[in-house]
């Protein structure tokens, strides 16, 4: 029977090359040696090498005796997922004479290699089962060895891979096993900071020789109607026996409430060492549809019976939903849905790319709170957990291929993308490429055509798009995808629709607006960007400022008015675009445009690296959410600016807005959703309020107050997950008001838990994220903890400030 075991804990990690060489492939199997074998302390006295030594008569010359020399000192114990990139120090490119990451694409974190090693034992009874190890993602150029044997390599850091290692293993008293994984990030795969190491989950499977193949089910629905739908299941069954095998395959359709709705079984003969495919279909009466408000999931349970025994039990979650993309945009179950999308890389404060399920849930929750309903996994396949979470939370996913490539690896990667995620109802379309220069040339178009043809065979049920940039307007290129995706469209979509009526177009990426949370003036030295509309950075450069922008892909940077343009363009001028995907919801490491060093992360996010909202977050709320809202910027602490004019910008989805300074109205103005209303009052300390009205009635309010000096820390639990909780530390004045420019140093500590990491959203902070302390940035800092028991206390201390602590169990919480 199938057993899926999490294989994330108790790995050793070594940064850099190993002193003791590990051969990739040797002349004799099993003699790769070094850290891919046991040490003497680990029980090297296993029988196999000794047996060989006895037979060939020498210990010295026996290459199997190339054991791991030492583990202590050079190896750290780690649990996965793990990103070794963020554990290094940032490197100032100016201290290098070479071209070290001048443009900060990689966030000034050095490349290199890192090794992971794990020892494990298997009981004797496992012999005869198939033991498979699966890596969901290793960044990158992974090489895997088991017990001194080279197993395989996998280049891409964004696709999963699995090896059947049954034959290489020791069982029972044959001895222990060692798995060694090399990760090498010397070469990059994308143009952003990609993390490094075994940053996604690892699983060990124990399988019967006859089992459902990896990614071996495809469940989809045909002719979806309210009254019924046809559920189709294609299943691949792998027979690793040396003989043909007759099996009974059972499929049971199970409701979310765990009721078996339908059951069918069929016989199948699978040839020895072959894969057999078997198809089923059910008519499902009155299906409960998956949609954004009610993401209902069904389960298909596949069982294999051989010799009267159930030898495999495999579950596939799926949803019944009808997705169409039309000239009006997206129809989900016949209902028009405006795509309120975000593009995202996988990164976060404190942990880098090693996103835990709780951090993924937190990020998705924040996107929903901003009003978003769609996620573009840019520019690579999403993790299985992220897709599960989107299925559960009702978020649409545009899942994306990394490279435009039809070589063996390229095809394998696209197969991983599609077969690994085609059962997820959240995935509504596939994106085959992002802004590939080569699409301008004939080979680029041929590559795209071939890749798309291959991919369509793997999923004939969904449409395919591209995130087009350079070949926009090239009709040959635009005729390849089902839906022409435009990044930063400024007229090409309209031209496409005029010249080729009936074309389908979508806005795949828009609005690269850079801003720093709580900052209202550019500052090159501090590496921070203005949250107002201060114009495009490209224009600033062209006007001859001292901003150095090197060639290479440093990303664009629009002004806020461009962002206003983007939304209005897709919403009103070319509604066929279906909505937009903004670049991006969260800041991420790398792409340090426009200032580069000292900035180490991008500033495109509507939220910073910690998920703390910037002002622009509220712009998206104002255009994406229906409930009345209003937001004003900036803060109201402008000591030294008394008597000077200050811009106040207001975002709202209401009809009118009115500003009050110290209770005095500054006038009521008509407001248009999607535009920005501005006042330029003279600064006087005190309180500034903005009130929004619909039908003449006040419906929403925002305010800022001039605060006193930092006095205390306020700690609040902002997210509670299964294993991780997230805490926000705020520096507040005596009245409990957030001090909007405070940068006090905070020391965190936890009882009955561990600190996973910290962050503060400062794009130029060079403090380590894997630490228990951090300076606040513009009043805020974040600490992520790992819970160890039910009674947890989190504390935050800072010199000269009142400390804060929160004690809680899973049920109650007390603060002081
Ligand atoms: C886009 C690109 C993204 C990012 C962005 C920055 O053109 O697709 O990956 O670089 O620019 O503005």
């Amino acid at each position: 029977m199938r057993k899926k075991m999490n294989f994330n804990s108790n790995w050793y990690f070594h940064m850099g090359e190993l002193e003791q060489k590990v051969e990739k492939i040797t002349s004799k199997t099993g003699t790769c040696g070094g850290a891919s074998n046991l040490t003497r302390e680990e029980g090297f006295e296993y029988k196999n090498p000794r047996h060989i030594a006895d037979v060939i008569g020498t210990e010295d010359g026996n290459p199997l005796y190339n054991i791991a020399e030492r583990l202590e000192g050079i190896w750290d114990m780690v649990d996965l997922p793990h990103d070794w990139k963020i554990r290094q120090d940032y490197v100032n490119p100016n201290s290098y004479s070479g071209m070290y990451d001048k443009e900060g694409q990689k966030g000034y974190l050095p490349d290199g290699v890192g090794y992971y090693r794990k020892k494990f034992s298997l009981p004797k009874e496992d012999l005869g089962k198939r033991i498979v190890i699966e890596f969901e993602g290793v960044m990158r150029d992974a090489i895997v060895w088991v017990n001194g044997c080279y197993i395989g390599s996998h280049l891409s850091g964004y696709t999963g891979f699995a090896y059947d290692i049954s034959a290489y293993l020791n069982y029972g008293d044959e001895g222990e096993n060692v798995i060694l994984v090399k990760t090498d990030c010397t070469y990059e795969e994308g143009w952003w900071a990609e993390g490094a190491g075994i940053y996604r989950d690892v699983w060990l499977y124990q399988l019967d020789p006859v089992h459902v193949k990896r990614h071996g089910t495809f469940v989809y629905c045909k002719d979806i109607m309210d009254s019924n739908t046809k559920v189709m299941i294609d299943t691949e069954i792998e027979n690793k026996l040396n003989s043909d095998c007759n099996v009974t395959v059972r499929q049971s359709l199970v409701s979310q409430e765990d009721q078996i709705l339908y059951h069918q079984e069929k016989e199948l003969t699978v040839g020895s060492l072959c894969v057999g495919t078997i198809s089923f279909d059910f008519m499902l009466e009155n299906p409960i549809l998956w949609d954004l408000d009610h993401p209902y999931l069904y389960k298909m349970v596949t069982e294999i019976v051989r010799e009267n025994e159930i030898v495999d039990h495999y579950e596939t979650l799926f949803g019944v939903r009808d997705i169409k993309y039309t000239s009006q945009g997206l129809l989900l179950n016949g209902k028009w849905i405006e795509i309120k999308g975000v593009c995202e890389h996988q990164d976060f404060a404190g942990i880098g790319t090693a996103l835990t399920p709780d951090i993924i849930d937190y990020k998705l929750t924040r996107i929903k709170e901003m009003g978003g309903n769609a996620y573009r996994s840019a520019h690579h396949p999403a993790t299985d957990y992220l897709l599960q979470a989107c299925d559960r939370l009702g978020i649409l996913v545009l899942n994306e291929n990394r490279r435009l490539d039809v070589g063996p690896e390229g095809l394998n990667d696209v197969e991983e993308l599609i077969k690994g995620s085609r059962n997820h109802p959240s995935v509504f379309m596939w994106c085959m490429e992002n802004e590939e220069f080569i699409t301008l040339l004939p080979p680029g178009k041929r590559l795209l055509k071939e890749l798309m043809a291959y991919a369509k065979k793997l999923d004939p049920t969904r449409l395919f798009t591209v995130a087009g940039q350079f070949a926009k307007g090239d009709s040959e290129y635009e005729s390849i995808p089902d839906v022409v995706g435009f990044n930063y469209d400024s007229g090409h979509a309209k031209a496409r629709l005029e010249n080729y009526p009936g074309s389908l177009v979508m806005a795949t990426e828009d609005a690269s607006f850079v801003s720093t949370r709580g900052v209202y003036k550019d500052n090159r030295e501090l590496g921070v960007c203005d949250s107002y509309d201060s114009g495009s950075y490209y224009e600033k450069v062209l006007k001859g400022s001292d901003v150095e922008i090197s060639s290479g892909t440093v990303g664009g940077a629009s002004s806020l008015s461009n962002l206003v343009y983007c939304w209005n363009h897709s919403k009103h001028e070319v509604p066929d675009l279906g909505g937009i995907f903004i670049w991006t919801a969260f800041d991420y490491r790398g792409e340090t445009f426009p200032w580069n060093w000292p900035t180490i992360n991008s500033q495109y996010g509507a939220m910073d690296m910690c998920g703390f909202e910037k002002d622009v977050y509220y712009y998206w709320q104002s255009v994406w959410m229906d409930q009345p809202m209003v937001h004003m910027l900036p803060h109201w602490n402008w000591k030294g600016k008394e008597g000077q004019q200050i811009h106040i910008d207001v975002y709202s989805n209401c009809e009118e807005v009115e500003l009050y300074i110290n209770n005095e109205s500054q006038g009521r103005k008509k407001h248009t959703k999607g535009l920005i209303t501005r006042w330029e009052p003279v600064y006087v300390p005190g309180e500034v309020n903005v009130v929004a009205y619909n039908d003449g009635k006040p419906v929403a309010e925002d305010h800022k107050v001039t605060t006193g000096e930092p006095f205390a820390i306020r700690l609040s639990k902002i997210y509670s997950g299964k294993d991780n909780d997230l805490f926000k530390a705020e520096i507040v004045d005596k009245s409990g008001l957030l001090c909007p420019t405070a940068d006090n140093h905070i020391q965190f500590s936890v009882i009955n838990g561990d600190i996973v990491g910290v962050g503060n959203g400062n794009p130029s902070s060079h403090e380590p994220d894997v630490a228990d302390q951090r300076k606040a940035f513009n009043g805020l800092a974040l600490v992520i903890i790992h819970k160890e028991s039910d009674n947890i206390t989190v504390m935050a201390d800072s010199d000269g400030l009142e400390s804060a602590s929160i004690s809680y169990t899973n049920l109650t919480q007390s603060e002081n």
Side-chain angles (χ1 to χ4, degrees), residues 49 67 73 119-120 181 215 245 251 284 346 378 392 404 411 433 569 585 666 669 796 812:
I67 56 171
K119 188 190 77 154
F120 61 103
V181 181
H215 304 324
C245 184
Q251 304 283 12
L284 171 61
Q346 40 188 11
R392 179 169 35 85
L404 179 54
L411 294 183
E433 65 97 10
H569 178 70
Q666 308 293 306
K669 297 190 181 187
T812 57

Side-chain angles (χ1 to χ4, degrees), residues 572-583:
H572 302 303
E573 283 172 41
V574 195
D576 319 51
L577 283 165
I580 53 178
F581 281 94
I582 63 165
W583 188 266

Side-chain angles (χ1 to χ4, degrees), residues 191-192 345 379 434-435 469 487-488 509 512 553-557 583 588 591 604:
W191 50 92
W192 56 94
H345 285 321
H379 307 293
N434 177 76
E435 301 189 355
Q469 170 77 292
N487 282 8
Y488 309 95
E509 191 177 316
S512 282
T553 317
V554 288
W583 188 266
Y588 53 92
E591 289 208 289
Y604 297 109

Side-chain angles (χ1 to χ4, degrees), residues 199 252 293 394 524 564 580:
Y199 76 99
S252 309
D293 302 324
R524 193 198 191 328
V564 170
I580 53 178

